[in-house]
Each structure stands twice: as structure tokens, then as C-alpha cells.
Amino acid sequence: MPTDTRTDTRIILFTGKGGVGKTTTAAATALRCAEMGKKTLVISTDPAHSLGDAVDRELSPEPQEIAPNLYAQELDVYYSMKKYWGNVRILLLQVFQWQGVSNMVAEELAALPGMEEASAFLWLDNYVQAKEYDVIIIDSAPTGETLTLLTLPQTVQWWMTRAFPFQKTAVQTVGAMVRGLTGIPLDKGFMELDELFSKLQRMQKTMTNPDVASIRLVMNPERMVIQEARRAYTYLQMYGFNVDGVVVNRIMPESGKKDSFFKSYIESQKKYLVEIEESFAPLPNFRVQHAGQEVFGLDLLRSIAENLYGEVEGGTDPTTFFFKEKPFELVQDDKNYILKTKLPFAEESDFEVRRLSDEIIIQLGNRRKNIFLPRFLAYYTLTSKVLSGGWLTLTFSPNA
């Protein structure tokens, strides 16, 4: 009897500010993986679905094959909730009603915080456990929603400990009695809820496993986009997610300078490209030239993939882990927080550190590195900075 020798499913999540080209980048990457012989699923978790437009196919809430080895799926929150949350909704309604909440308010509260994001994790968990695909590419929602998705298990667990002020066994016992009298499956709902939490926690472990999953930040060479990407990078690092690359999309070609209308825009892009390289170093940068047209259909996606990864034969494998180290880390030490960041080859005499609101600016000669700080550090003061062994250590102490 043959055995399944497939290793862990490789997961790559693309995120960034809305409108930067996450969908085309994700779809092009998925197409490249499929054409390399890997069974690949590209799945959109963005409520404003455009994956179907990118691949020029009408997609459904279940995976469908759109090319050899290539499957696509656009999540539908109502379809997913019906599939995964049926008994849970009944359980929550009954619990809130027992606590004296009106029916209408109970209906609202029964929509758990993050239920939309949770459904994405549940689909992913099923695919990973079944080893159904070699590669899963996630076309994620804009940055804020992505962070909500990735930190969901802790959020839901916190919420539920306050929603259920009594023991699990009590809910199951009462639920079994109620089901016997009314046919309402409350005990089944609690068991289903318990199982869903286990799946969410398991999936988060998968997403933070640097040997399985990585996140790629997609951006355009524009100031506001870069700022949001920096902030996302900080939070992803803080929560332990591996970011292994940066995709800079829609770069105008130098030939556009001949048109005076684009000249200043191209000059500003050049400045921002340098800023991206310095801000996100040592992450590798992948650059994509502006296609000059709207990108939809497999042929145009294939050209984007060639721009990103080179030719299919001899080009770069998109499933490669391009970076695995932690370029910086934030830890707590007694009452202080310690931020450590790599500054290779820097000497104490040629660097300067400034704090500007929620940003740390590190000046190295004529080069500059920006690190966004978590917002809670607004209550802390930068009290020391030490450079040793290629690492800069910053200490933040509570405000007096």
C-alpha cells in the first residue's frame, strides 16, 4: 500500500496596504509554483475579492482547478460560517439569553469577534492536516485585517473566558439536558467550539513555524505605503511571524522620464526604492515593473511571475525561504523593554539614534534605518543605547 511521502504544506501569505497589488503578486506566485509541478492553492481572504478578476475566472467558496496544478478559492464568510459555526451560534444565543440579554442583542453578540477571519484559519487547517496541497498562497486582506487574522486565537480565547463564566463540564451537562428536552444541540455546540479553538491555536503554531510559513510584504514606492509596511513589519516580528521578503510593485521604467508628466514621479520612486532597501534590510527585495495595463488572465500573470522570479527553467523557486533570521526582537526585562536590532559593520562613532513619536530613526553615516515601535511604548522612555557585536540594544523604561 503506497504511503504519502509529502512534507509539510508550504504556506506563503502576501499582505500590504490596499491597492498595492497583493492579488496579482499572489496569483502570479501561485501560477509559477503550479507550473513548476507543485499542486498549488491560491486562496483569497480579502472580503473585497479580486482574485477571480486576476485569474479571469468566476471563483466559488470551494477550491476549483483553473489550470494544471493550480486551484483557486475566494472565501465567502456566510458560506464558511454556515459550514463551521452552526451549532456554535445556537450555543452562544442560548448562553446570552440565560444571562438576561435580549434576543436582538444576543443575535449580535453571537457573531464572535473575528468570525470572518476565523473561517480562513479553519479552511487552512483542514488543508494542512490533509496534506492536500504542496503550496498554499494566501491573498490576504489589507495589513490591519491581516494582523487581526494572525493574532485571532489569543483574541477569541480572551473573549470566550468572559462570555462563559462557568465550567466547560457544566455547559456540556446542561446542554445535554436541554437537548434532551428541546432538541437544541448546546452540548454539541460547546464541543464544536472547543474543537474550533484547538484548530485556531494549531493553525497559529503553523503560521509561526519558520520552516513552513512566511509572509511577504507587498508595497509600491510611495511614502504612505512604505510607512504602513514598516509598521506591519514591526508587529509581525513582535508576534513571531517570519517575514522573508519584500515585493516592490509597479515600478515605472526609466524610459518614462522622456514624458515630462512622469519625470518627477519616477525621480521620487527612485528615492523611495533606496528608502525601502535601507528600511527593510537585510530582507531581499523583489521588484516588479509597472505592466502598463490592468493585469488579469494567466498570460499576464505569467509575465509578472517572470518579472519576479525569472524564467521557469533556471529561475527562482518562489517556495524558497529567502530569509529566516530575526532582524530585530523586543523582549521584556523586569520593568523595561529591550529592543535589539542588527547593525552589522557599524561603529559607535558613526551612528545616531533618535526617537520620533512611535518611530526609532537610526542614522548610519548617510544611510538611515527606521523602525516603528509598538504603540504601548508611548508609555516608555528611551533610556539607553548600546552597540556591541553588530547588535544595537535600546532600553525603554517606564515614564516617571
Side-chain angles (χ1 to χ4, degrees), residues 140-323:
S140 130
T143 316
E145 287 89 335
T146 299
L147 291 169
T148 301
L149 165 67
L150 295 173
T151 59
L152 183 69
Q154 298 101 311
T155 306
V156 174
Q157 192 171 32
W158 179 92
W159 188 90
M160 285 306 300
T161 58
R162 284 146 183 81
F164 290 105
F166 35 77
Q167 296 295 319
K168 173 167 72 173
T169 51
V171 175
Q172 290 175 324
T173 302
V174 172
M177 292 170 56
V178 171
R179 180 156 60 103
L181 294 170
T182 66
I184 298 173
L186 298 192
D187 54 331
K188 284 189 176 180
F190 198 97
M191 291 167 65
E192 187 177 282
L193 185 62
D194 220 26
E195 185 182 351
L196 292 180
F197 287 157
S198 298
K199 285 184 175 184
L200 290 175
Q201 290 172 329
R202 183 168 65 202
M203 198 60 218
Q204 188 180 49
K205 286 181 182 176
T206 299
M207 292 300 296
T208 54
N209 183 344
D211 296 321
V212 173
S214 62
I215 296 173
R216 292 175 190 167
L217 296 169
V218 184
M219 66 192 78
N220 307 139
E222 298 172 6
R223 185 174 182 274
M224 288 178 65
V225 175
I226 296 168
Q227 292 288 84
E228 182 163 325
R230 283 180 183 145
R231 185 170 283 110
Y233 186 39
T234 294
Y235 278 93
L236 290 167
Q237 289 286 306
M238 189 174 77
Y239 285 114
F241 296 98
N242 178 41
V243 180
D244 78 335
V246 167
V247 176
V248 189
N249 195 24
R250 298 180 186 145
I251 301 172
M252 295 292 289
E254 283 286 314
S255 58
K257 277 187 178 179
K258 296 175 184 176
D259 188 331
S260 59
F261 182 79
F262 290 111
K263 186 174 181 181
S264 61
Y265 184 70
I266 292 169
E267 286 299 325
S268 71
Q269 276 202 343
K270 286 173 69 176
K271 180 186 73 173
Y272 288 130
L273 287 170
V274 173
E275 191 175 317
I276 288 168
E277 210 164 304
E278 292 178 351
S279 292
F280 294 95
L283 291 181
N285 273 224
F286 296 88
R287 297 185 175 186
V288 184
Q289 295 290 318
H290 200 296
Q293 60 183 310
E294 191 176 2
V295 178
F296 61 91
L298 299 186
D299 289 339
L300 285 174
L301 289 174
R302 191 173 289 110
S303 69
I304 295 288
E306 288 178 3
N307 205 201
L308 272 170
Y309 307 109
E311 299 291 333
V312 175
E313 296 296 329
T316 303
D317 182 348
T319 64
T320 301
F321 288 93
F322 297 109
F323 192 80

Side-chain angles (χ1 to χ4, degrees), residues 8-20:
D8 288 334
T9 303
R10 175 72 168 98
I11 301 173
I12 307 170
L13 184 148
F14 289 92
T15 190
K17 190 174 173 63
V20 296

